[in-house]
Amino acid sequence: MTKDMTPLLGYRLKLAQHALHRRMEEALRPLGLSPAQYAVLAELNARPDQTNADLAERAFITPQSMQGVLTKLEGSGLVERRQDARHGRRQLARLTGEGRLKAEAANAAVMRVEDLLEAAVHPACVQDAVDLMNRLHNAMCE
Amino acid sequence: MTKDMTPLLGYRLKLAQHALHRRMEEALRPLGLSPAQYAVLAELNARPDQTNADLAERAFITPQSMQGVLTKLEGSGLVERRQDARHGRRQLARLTGEGRLKAEAANAAVMRVEDLLEAAVHPACVQDAVDLMNRLHNAMCE
DNA sequence: TATATTATATCAGGATCCTGATACTACCCA
DNA sequence: TGGGTAGTATCAGGATCCTGATATAATATA
């Protein structure tokens, strides 16, 4: 006989993240950004002048996929890339002025979602929840 | 100044689920199944004779997407669909004999991942972790 | 009964991720 | 100094999800 899978922790983790992703999409849609695009803007806002490969690694996607994201953001005028003076192949990405404004607006929208998420646990337990996520993450990475 | 986003709960939730998804892909790859395909087999194993629309709703994807999954599983001989005698349009899906064997093998592989995941928390706290995921999920669904 | 609404399946096309392959640049080291 | 290795960008093609549109069958309703 097969067990009922629905009460399992992995399934619940998937459900929670799926709902969060939907909420993120909704929060960012008015700004014309996808979650992936937002992640790049936030990252470049915190640490300018990163290569495509750097950004891909931080976002857990391949450099090929990040290429598409970055090219689109560049086409929208939110990001600019220029040659690394000391490296013939590297291209360093940074936010434009418009990109910085967009990143700040997106951060505000995302923080509203984060606040809703954290409101689901007692204020004193937020760190416990973060620790739990870290333990689950580490368990899946060996 | 922009806050550092990395310690936030939503980000950690995303990371944990991402790592779990990778593990699931690895666990299912030897069986020739994707996580989405596994979900359908497990669901049909527990509840046979569901329509494409039913399965799509349970898996949180569109009927159009589920069509592709189901058509592929049908082509692999793991699932069969037949007309509902009382509904001219409905097609009911169920596992073939081979499909049942595959579903059982996949369940075993997935349970090994689930065990690793649950090992990251004290045995007495697994239910607490499940409850936390449910609270986070509900917070994102209003 | 006749029509509108709902449910279901399916076609077409777009977005974003992936893997594999290729070209060019930088770095290490024998 | 010269050649292998590693890093970076990019092209090509595949998988899977999405939205929008269409066709048909069942059901509700006037």
Side-chain angles (χ1 to χ4, degrees):
Chain A
M1 194 55 190
T2 302
K3 292 182 186 176
D4 186 8
M5 304 299 283
T6 54
L8 296 182
L9 182 55
Y11 179 73
R12 300 300 171 134
L13 173 58
K14 175 186 169 186
L15 247 59
Q17 199 279 333
H18 185 263
L20 168 62
H21 190 258
R22 292 292 193 181
R23 265 299 176 96
M24 288 281 286
E25 285 180 330
E26 289 170 21
L28 292 168
R29 191 173 302 127
L31 295 164
L33 294 175
S34 68
Q37 289 173 332
Y38 160 72
V40 172
L41 293 187
E43 180 59 30
L44 287 177
N45 201 16
R47 281 174 283 254
D49 288 328
Q50 297 191 63
T51 67
N52 177 55
D54 292 335
L55 292 166
E57 187 176 5
R58 288 187 187 276
F60 306 101
I61 64 177
T62 62
Q64 295 95 318
S65 297
M66 183 55 77
Q67 259 293 11
V69 177
L70 221 41
T71 298
K72 203 161 195 173
L73 288 172
E74 202 175 12
S76 304
L78 302 176
V79 163
E80 58 188 5
R81 279 186 285 188
R82 52 190 185 72
Q83 281 293 322
D84 185 333
R86 297 173 300 181
H87 196 294
R89 196 116 185 100
R90 275 182 157 166
Q91 295 178 24
L92 302 179
R94 56 168 56 185
L95 297 184
T96 62
E98 188 185 353
R100 257 183 299 278
L101 293 177
K102 185 74 84 173
E104 297 294 347
N107 270 335
V110 167
M111 285 307 293
R112 283 193 288 274
V113 175
E114 174 74 18
D115 287 343
L116 280 176
L117 191 68
E118 294 187 4
V121 300
H122 292 181
C125 295
V126 172
Q127 189 56 49
D128 292 339
V130 170
D131 291 342
L132 171 63
M133 296 302 167
N134 286 338
R135 280 197 300 278
L136 297 178
H137 177 248
N138 290 334
M140 292 296 95
C141 296
E142 235 74 20
Chain B
M1 194 57 188
T2 303
K3 290 183 188 176
D4 186 8
M5 305 299 283
T6 52
L8 297 181
L9 181 55
Y11 179 73
R12 301 300 171 133
L13 173 59
K14 175 187 168 184
L15 248 59
Q17 199 277 332
H18 186 264
L20 168 63
H21 191 257
R22 292 291 191 182
R23 265 299 176 95
M24 288 281 285
E25 285 179 331
E26 289 170 21
L28 292 168
R29 191 173 303 127
L31 295 165
L33 294 176
S34 67
Q37 289 171 333
Y38 160 71
V40 172
L41 293 187
E43 179 59 30
L44 285 178
N45 201 16
R47 280 174 283 253
D49 288 328
Q50 298 190 64
T51 67
N52 177 55
D54 292 335
L55 292 166
E57 188 176 4
R58 288 189 188 274
F60 304 101
I61 64 177
T62 61
Q64 295 95 319
S65 297
M66 183 55 77
Q67 260 292 11
V69 176
L70 221 41
T71 299
K72 202 161 197 173
L73 287 172
E74 200 175 14
S76 303
L78 301 175
V79 163
E80 59 187 4
R81 281 186 284 188
R82 52 187 186 72
Q83 282 294 323
D84 185 333
R86 296 174 300 179
H87 292 74
R89 197 119 184 96
R90 274 183 156 163
Q91 295 179 24
L92 301 179
R94 56 169 55 183
L95 297 183
T96 63
E98 187 185 354
R100 257 183 299 278
L101 293 175
K102 184 73 84 172
E104 296 294 346
N107 270 335
V110 167
M111 286 306 294
R112 283 193 288 274
V113 176
E114 174 73 17
D115 287 343
L116 280 175
L117 191 69
E118 293 188 4
V121 300
H122 292 181
C125 295
V126 172
Q127 189 55 50
D128 292 339
V130 170
D131 290 344
L132 172 63
M133 297 302 168
N134 285 338
R135 280 198 299 279
L136 296 179
H137 177 248
N138 290 335
M140 293 295 95
C141 297
E142 235 75 21

